[in-house]
Amino acid sequence: MFIDWNQIDTVLLDMDGTLLDRHFDDHFWLEHVPKRYAAQNGIPLPEAKEVLYAQFRSQERTLNWTDLDYWSERLGLDIPLLKLEVEHLIAVHPGVVEFLLFLRQSGKSVWLVTNAHGKTLSLKMRKTRLGPYFTGIVSAHEIGLPKEENAFWGKLREKVPYDPARTLLGEDSETNLGTAERYGIRFLVYVSRFSSTVHPTPSTRFPSINHFTELIPHPDDRRIVIPE
């Protein structure tokens, strides 16, 4: 698949797993929260994981999934405070800063578009200092819909003036790429190396990359090849 950067005005980028290593989030929700929940409720860690994993699954593909206030109330834990305990695990994927610099130097409109809650965004932007690279940042909580909903991408245009035919979306979620595809976003890229702790597996549906440096063309070639 060839991409001619002259055909792209806007780049939409997901955060967790796409720009940032998802190891932080996986460790936090699958290990750290159960550990604190088990201690608070006086139950064994395996039992805490069984209880919490079921609750997490019940809210997949909804805004509650990433709503820190929702989980604080439901679990009886201060979730934002617990995130601070493991914030040292927050990390930017290799090649991300170089890619963001390329986009800004190329005059593209670059938007961070994420399902993440505002409190998570604040923590991660403070930790990574990526904020200044973006034209703007939009949370799905502002839109009122998660990216898993087809209608999300239309409502996003109320905040981001983009032309789907001249837009590239980078995501580590095939589901979200699918809803964007149905809306008509033309250039779709799957980030297969979403976590430093897993072996990357390319998508069978979308062009895939491991690192964003793969999308930076050589100076003498404005077109690039995305591995299928």
Side-chain angles (χ1 to χ4, degrees):
M1 177 181 179
F2 285 93
I3 291 183
D4 181 348
W5 282 98
N6 291 315
Q7 298 182 30
I8 297 174
D9 300 323
T10 306
V11 177
L12 309 177
L13 296 168
D14 176 52
M15 183 172 68
D16 300 320
T18 300
L19 301 180
L20 305 187
D21 192 338
R22 209 172 76 194
H23 171 53
F24 166 80
D25 301 280
D26 291 343
H27 175 80
F28 179 77
W29 292 107
L30 301 180
E31 300 295 336
H32 194 63
V33 171
K35 178 181 176 182
R36 292 288 183 253
Y37 185 84
Q40 176 167 292
N41 292 279
I43 61 176
L45 181 57
E47 180 181 341
K49 288 184 175 182
E50 182 178 357
V51 170
L52 293 182
Y53 292 179
Q55 292 191 51
F56 296 158
R57 285 193 296 269
S58 74
Q59 300 303 317
E60 286 182 345
R61 302 189 181 187
T62 74
L63 287 179
N64 287 339
W65 173 256
T66 56
D67 190 333
L68 302 196
D69 295 331
Y70 170 85
W71 290 114
S72 291
E73 181 178 352
R74 182 161 180 175
L75 304 181
L77 297 169
D78 189 335
I79 296 298
L81 182 62
L82 293 188
K83 287 205 168 196
L84 293 177
E85 295 178 353
V86 291
E87 66 172 344
H88 61 280
L89 295 177
I90 298 172
V92 180
H93 278 315
V96 163
V97 171
E98 292 88 338
F99 181 61
L100 293 175
L101 282 171
F102 159 71
L103 293 176
R104 294 309 299 268
Q105 291 168 358
S106 300
K108 308 304 179 185
S109 179
V110 186
W111 291 79
L112 179 63
V113 181
T114 173
N115 278 342
H117 189 264
K119 292 180 179 179
T120 297
L121 267 172
S122 296
L123 170 63
K124 292 182 175 178
M125 290 300 101
R126 174 179 60 79
K127 184 71 174 178
T128 64
R129 300 183 179 180
L130 289 182
Y133 291 102
F134 300 109
T135 306
I137 298 174
V138 179
S139 167
H141 292 267
E142 302 172 50
I143 303 295
L145 292 169
K147 289 187 286 182
E148 289 80 357
E149 296 283 346
N150 292 335
F152 172 88
W153 303 102
K155 288 195 61 79
L156 178 64
R157 295 178 77 179
E158 298 174 7
K159 294 184 176 292
V160 181
Y162 74 94
D163 176 358
R166 297 185 61 82
T167 296
L168 181 145
L169 170 66
E171 274 271 1
D172 71 313
S173 166
E174 289 184 295
T175 299
N176 297 346
L177 288 170
T179 58
E181 181 179 49
R182 286 190 285 276
Y183 184 69
I185 293 179
R186 180 180 175 189
F187 301 96
L188 303 169
V189 177
Y190 175 72
V191 179
S192 57
R193 189 184 181 275
F194 55 83
S195 171
S196 59
T197 64
V198 302
H199 183 75
T201 302
S203 170
T204 58
R205 296 177 56 197
F206 302 102
S208 302
I209 61 170
N210 289 335
H211 302 287
F212 275 103
T213 48
E214 297 170 44
L215 301 187
I216 301 176
H218 293 295
D220 59 348
D221 187 359
R222 293 297 300 276
R223 296 185 306 169
I224 59 173
V225 177
I226 295 182
E228 292 288 355

